[in-house]
Amino acid sequence: MSALDHTAPIEVQIALGERSYPILIGAGLLSQASAWQGLPKASTALIVTNDTVGPLYAPALQLALKPHYAQIHQVTLPDGETHKTWQTLNQVFDVLLSQGCDRKTVLFALGGGVVGDMTGFAAACYMRGVPFVQVPTTLLAQVDSSVGGKTAVNHPLGKNMIGAFYQPARVICDLSSLQTLPAREMSAGLAEIIKYGPIADMVFLDWIEAHIDALMARDPQTLAHAVQRSCEIKAWVVGQDERESGLRAILNFGHTFGHAIEAGLGFGEWLHGEAVGCGMVMAAHLSHRLGYIDLALVERLTALMVRAGLPVVGPNLGVETYLHHMRVDKKAEAGDIRFVLIDSPGHAKVQGAPDALVGEVIRQCCQA
Ligand code: NAD
Ligand code: GLY
C-alpha cells in the first residue's frame, strides 16, 4: 500500500463553463468510493475497455459503479492502435443498441488513449451525445489524452482524422494502475510530461530533471505531482482554446516531426510518445537554428529524453519523406508545414520554417 492510499484525491478543474469537469488523481481510486460519487445519474452504464486492460481493472470498475447504476454492460475491444477504426467503434454501438441503452447511458473509458479516444467519440455520436467518464490507465492518457475532449478514430488515409471535440464528465486517474504498464509505455508517457516544461513551465522542467529516476521507478507521490502539474498546464491551455483555434496547438510540440516518424515507419513501429520525444529534440534544434533558444537548452532536453528511456535519433527516412508526411499534418495550412517552436524557455509559438533549414535539422538528428 502506498502513502497516497486513503488520502483524498488531488483535484484539477477544467474550466469550460457548462462543460467544466474535475480530474481526480490518486493511488487506489478504483477502490475509493468518494471518487465515484456525483457521477452523471442514469440507470445504465457501459464500460468500454480492451482485452489487455479489461482483465486487469474491469472487475474493480464494475464494483465501483455497482452502487450507482442498475445495469452495467461491458464491451471489450481488441487492443491496439490498428483497431482504432470505424469497424471497432461499431462494436460499441452494437452493444449500446442491442442492450437498449437510452440517451442517459454513461460510457466509461477504461484504458489508454486508444480506448479513451474511441469511447469519447462513441459518446459524442450515440443518440447525438451521451455522457462519458475517462478512467485512463496509461501515463500518456493520464497526462494528456483523457483531458481536453479530443476524440477520434483513424481512417486508412490518416490518423485521428474522424472525430469530435467532446468533453468527459470527469477524469479519474488511478495512479496504481500504472504499476502494470510496460516500461516502454511509461517512457512514452514521460515524453508528454516533459513536453509541458519547455512550452509552459521551466520550473516544472527543473522538477522533472530532479525527479526523473523516481518517475521511472513509478513512485506514487512523484507520479501524483507529475500528473497533477501536467493536467494543470493542459487545463490552463484548453480553458483558453478548447477547439484549437490558436494557443492549444502548442500542446503539439514535437508532434510535427513525430508524426512524420510514425507515418514514415508505419504506425505502431515507434510508440506515439517515442516519436514525440524524438520530435521534440528535432523541434528544439529547429528553434535553436532560428535563433530562439541556446544550444544548452536543446542539449538539456536531449539528455532528459535519454534518461526517460526515449529515442533521440530519428530514423533515416530521407528528408523528402519527412517533408511529405509533415505536409499532411493537421497543423499544415495549404501544404505549408507549421512547427511548434520554443521561442523562449517556457514559451512556444507556431510558425513555418524554410524547407532547407528543416532539411538540415533532419540530417543532423537522424541516423546516417
Ligand atoms: P494505448 O491506449 O494503445 O495503450 C498502450 C498499451 O498499454 C496498450 O497495449 C494498452 O492495452 C496497454 N495498457 C493500458 N493501460 C495499461 C495498464 N495499466 N497496464 C498494462 N497495460 C496497459 O496507448 P496510449 O499511449 O495510452 O494512447 C495513444 C493514443 O492516444 C493514440 O491513439 C493517440 O492518437 C491518442 N492521443 C490522443 C490525445 C488526445 O488529446 N485525445 C492526445 C495524445 C494521444
Ligand atoms: N494532445 C494535444 C491536445 O490535446 O491538444
Side-chain angles (χ1 to χ4, degrees):
M1 189 180 292
S2 85
L4 283 180
D5 284 349
H6 305 301
T7 57
I10 296 164
E11 188 169 327
V12 176
Q13 193 71 16
I14 300 282
L16 288 170
E18 62 182 13
R19 294 183 306 290
S20 298
Y21 55 94
I23 305 164
L24 305 185
I25 302 158
L29 293 191
L30 272 168
S31 54
Q32 216 177 89
S34 61
W36 305 90
Q37 301 293 336
L39 291 168
K41 291 206 183 313
S43 61
T44 310
L46 173 69
I47 297 172
V48 183
T49 187
N50 72 24
D51 50 20
T52 302
V53 179
L56 293 170
Y57 300 110
L61 182 54
Q62 293 263 0
L63 277 179
L65 298 183
K66 210 165 173 215
H68 306 287
Y69 301 98
Q71 295 183 81
I72 302 167
H73 304 293
Q74 181 172 322
V75 56
T76 303
L77 307 174
D79 187 5
E81 183 75 36
T82 51
H83 298 289
K84 193 180 173 186
T85 60
W86 263 115
Q87 289 75 11
T88 312
L89 193 69
N90 250 331
Q91 294 184 29
V92 180
F93 299 132
D94 289 347
V95 173
L96 286 165
L97 288 164
S98 64
Q99 297 297 328
C101 294
D102 63 20
R103 63 181 359 160
K104 287 196 160 176
T105 301
V106 187
L107 272 53
F108 288 83
L110 177 69
V114 170
V115 164
D117 281 13
M118 284 206 291
T119 308
F121 191 40
C125 298
Y126 186 63
M127 295 198 177
R128 302 196 181 91
V130 293
F132 85 111
V133 173
Q134 291 271 16
V135 189
T137 61
T138 64
L139 186 57
L140 183 140
Q142 294 190 354
V143 300
D144 190 357
S145 66
S146 67
V147 174
K150 281 189 179 175
T151 75
V153 293
N154 299 331
H155 184 278
L157 296 180
K159 188 171 177 324
N160 290 333
M161 285 295 173
I162 315 294
F165 285 98
Y166 194 68
Q167 301 293 342
R170 184 178 299 186
V171 181
I172 300 176
C173 300
D174 186 340
L175 302 170
S176 303
S177 65
L178 301 178
Q179 297 301 330
T180 53
L181 200 61
R184 223 179 133 189
E185 301 289 350
M186 273 302 287
S187 293
L190 286 171
E192 300 283 7
I193 292 175
I194 293 168
K195 167 184 86 177
Y196 292 113
I199 64 167
D201 184 354
M202 291 301 281
V203 174
F204 187 42
L205 187 67
D206 295 341
W207 181 91
I208 299 168
E209 285 175 325
H211 294 86
I212 190 71
D213 296 333
L215 288 168
M216 295 285 278
R218 307 177 199 208
D219 171 65
Q221 308 264 11
T222 316
L223 282 172
H225 180 72
V227 175
Q228 176 185 358
R229 188 66 196 126
S230 300
C231 289
E232 283 170 354
I233 294 170
K234 185 149 185 185
W236 172 76
V237 172
V238 171
Q240 295 174 74
D241 181 22
E242 182 183 8
R243 289 178 169 252
E244 198 165 313
S245 48
L247 178 70
R248 187 165 177 168
I250 68 168
L251 297 174
N252 291 320
F253 178 49
H255 287 57
T256 310
F257 287 107
H259 172 82
I261 293 173
E262 284 184 278
L265 286 176
F267 286 99
E269 190 66 30
W270 282 26
L271 298 179
H272 175 72
E274 292 172 335
V276 166
C278 189
M280 282 192 273
V281 170
M282 297 169 84
H285 274 288
L286 185 58
S287 306
H288 169 63
R289 281 172 178 265
L290 286 163
Y292 291 136
I293 57 171
D294 292 341
L295 189 58
L297 179 54
V298 184
E299 289 170 349
R300 222 182 128 182
L301 285 174
T302 309
L304 186 54
M305 300 298 169
V306 171
R307 290 180 68 199
L310 291 159
V312 292
V313 178
N316 184 11
L317 304 170
V319 170
E320 277 315 311
T321 304
Y322 271 93
L323 293 175
H324 164 76
H325 288 297
M326 292 194 289
R327 282 194 189 99
V328 292
D329 183 78
K330 279 204 276 311
K331 281 185 304 304
E333 286 176 8
D336 287 338
I337 308 166
R338 293 169 62 72
F339 297 91
V340 180
L341 300 168
I342 306 303
D343 58 349
S344 63
H347 193 270
K349 69 189 282 196
V350 181
Q351 71 166 67
D355 279 1
L357 192 61
V358 176
E360 280 177 34
V361 168
I362 292 166
R363 277 186 284 273
Q364 176 184 2
C365 296
C366 297
Q367 285 165 344

